[in-house]
Amino acid sequence: KPFDPFPFILLNLALSTLAAIQAPIIIMAQNRQTERDRIDAKYDHAVNRKAEREIEVVQRELDAIKRQIFH
């Protein structure tokens, strides 16, 4: 006689219990990752803004040099 016959009630119970235990842990991990992604995006935006300002300064300096050369 098999240990857990066809409807596999014991196996189903074990897997359902495992899923119920894992679900909150997985959701907490996803929330933490979302928070990290938000912080990373904030830093990336700040770095991009700073790079944009520096590029504008370099562009103005190049324009000034061109004016001096061609005038």
Side-chain angles (χ1 to χ4, degrees):
K1 182 177 178 185
F3 171 70
D4 193 17
F6 168 63
F8 306 114
I9 295 172
L10 187 59
L11 178 62
N12 191 11
L13 175 65
L15 292 177
S16 297
T17 304
L18 180 63
I21 292 170
Q22 286 179 337
I25 296 169
I26 291 169
I27 290 172
M28 286 187 298
Q30 287 175 340
N31 287 341
R32 290 182 66 200
Q33 186 62 42
T34 301
E35 181 65 20
R36 282 190 210 117
D37 290 343
R38 187 186 65 77
I39 291 170
D40 288 346
K42 182 178 175 182
Y43 287 139
D44 286 345
H45 180 71
V47 167
N48 289 341
R49 293 289 294 157
K50 183 177 180 183
E52 184 179 0
R53 287 191 299 269
E54 290 176 359
I55 289 170
E56 287 173 356
V57 169
V58 169
Q59 186 64 44
R60 275 188 250 125
E61 291 173 356
L62 284 174
D63 290 341
I65 291 170
K66 280 186 200 176
R67 280 194 302 274
Q68 288 177 357
I69 290 174
F70 294 116
H71 287 118

